[in-house]
Amino acid sequence: MALGRQRVNGVDLFYEQTGSGKHPVLLLPGALGCTRTDFGPQLKSLNKERFTVVGWDPRGYGKSRPPDRDFPPDFFERDAQDAVDLMKALGFDKFSLLGWSDGGITAMMAAAKNPDLISRMVVWGSNAFVSQQDLELYEAVRDVSRWSARMRQPMEEVYGAEVFAKTWNAWVDGIAQYSKRPEGSICMELLPLISCPTLIIHGEKDPMVPNFHPQYLLKHIKGSQLHLMPEGKHNLHLRYTDEFNKLVEYFLED
């Protein structure tokens, strides 16, 4: 596995690259996530002969610090631009996207704005708008001291307890600002611009993403497919790694 930092849009972005296949795939992590916390089993187990897999830490997350993370009104757009420019800087002119949670939002924006660059896309645990129900879900997890130690540990190992709590609180404020937009849109208007084959995966027991979100994506991303995992929660790719990886490999090679 190759590790490195690449200067992109004024920031040194950390990335990990594994495999030597002809099909490049970028893994996009969730809120405060990084390649190690969010995609260990994918970096380890996705087929290395068919795929070249790149994981990255978005600016202000994980090992792409400094800078400290902030959440301006365009933070998803900024991450999408960084992701595309990182892959270009690494020498990939066409690639697929695997986006989890916030990373799925970033992936959808990247695919909508760069149709010539994106081959295929898989998103899960993602949403195109923020509803009142979503706001209540975010608010319920704002105070990380109320999380289980098991849930906090990976993030505290990356950031330290104090920085994690502060950054998570800022994320809740950052995502909540979308609720003030018309219809709470994050990227609703971009979905019709997505032209690559798209697989939406949803865990039916996801406590953070109500079922109406994947249904909305299915309806508004033309030609997309929805795969439901009845026992899946938000981190279905970590909990059901073998099933998830097989599903993704089959879709990417279809």
Side-chain angles (χ1 to χ4, degrees):
M1 187 179 298
L3 311 175
R5 283 182 171 79
Q6 178 69 45
R7 191 78 174 170
V8 174
N9 300 327
V11 177
D12 291 323
L13 295 177
F14 176 80
Y15 70 94
E16 300 185 50
Q17 183 175 322
T18 183
S20 56
K22 291 180 180 175
H23 191 151
V25 178
L26 178 64
L27 310 174
L28 298 103
L32 276 69
C34 49
T35 179
R36 273 296 154 91
T37 58
D38 286 13
F39 290 117
Q42 282 67 49
L43 284 163
K44 180 183 176 186
S45 301
L46 283 175
N47 190 306
K48 292 175 173 50
E49 292 175 7
R50 284 153 56 191
F51 305 106
T52 296
V53 181
V54 179
W56 73 306
D57 296 2
R59 67 168 68 205
Y61 287 170
K63 294 181 180 177
S64 293
R65 295 178 293 153
D68 291 335
R69 180 70 181 198
D70 61 351
F71 298 94
D74 66 343
F75 73 90
F76 282 120
E77 287 90 343
R78 183 179 65 183
D79 284 346
Q81 193 63 56
D82 283 349
V84 167
D85 291 345
L86 170 64
M87 290 299 277
K88 286 181 181 173
L90 294 177
F92 301 109
D93 54 9
K94 199 167 177 70
F95 47 92
S96 290
L97 303 172
L98 264 61
W100 176 36
S101 199
D102 273 20
I105 297 170
T106 303
M108 291 187 289
M109 288 184 171
K113 294 180 177 182
N114 303 274
D116 296 340
L117 298 178
I118 309 305
S119 304
R120 290 176 170 260
M121 176 169 66
V122 183
V123 296
W124 65 105
S126 304
N127 49 306
F129 60 90
V130 175
S131 69
Q132 186 59 40
Q133 184 178 344
D134 296 315
L135 280 179
E136 292 165 8
L137 290 169
Y138 303 147
E139 205 55 50
V141 296
R142 182 189 286 272
D143 182 357
V144 298
S145 70
R146 296 167 59 188
W147 294 20
S148 69
R150 183 178 60 84
M151 290 293 290
R152 285 198 312 267
Q153 183 185 1
M155 292 296 188
E156 290 183 345
E157 285 177 356
V158 172
Y159 296 102
E162 187 178 338
V163 172
F164 168 50
K166 178 182 160 193
T167 310
W168 181 262
N169 192 64
W171 174 81
V172 173
D173 289 339
I175 192 85
Q177 66 191 327
Y178 287 96
S179 67
K180 298 179 176 67
R181 295 186 178 184
E183 299 182 88
S185 177
I186 301 174
C187 60
M188 293 164 72
E189 68 286 351
L190 294 177
L191 300 184
L193 303 179
I194 296 171
S195 57
C196 64
T198 299
L199 174 63
I200 304 152
I201 305 174
H202 183 64
E204 294 192 76
K205 295 185 177 178
D206 189 333
M208 289 301 297
V209 180
N211 184 51
F212 54 76
H213 283 303
Q215 295 294 341
Y216 185 90
L217 299 180
L218 179 66
K219 183 177 179 182
H220 291 91
I221 301 175
K222 58 178 175 283
S224 60
Q225 307 169 39
L226 173 60
H227 180 89
L228 298 175
M229 293 176 65
E231 297 300 314
K233 295 184 180 178
H234 197 57
N235 64 344
L236 54 84
H237 64 299
L238 301 176
R239 178 72 178 79
Y240 299 103
T241 297
D242 290 347
E243 181 182 353
F244 176 87
N245 285 1
K246 284 195 183 88
L247 187 66
V248 165
E249 288 178 350
Y250 180 79
F251 175 75
L252 292 177
E253 285 293 310
D254 195 8

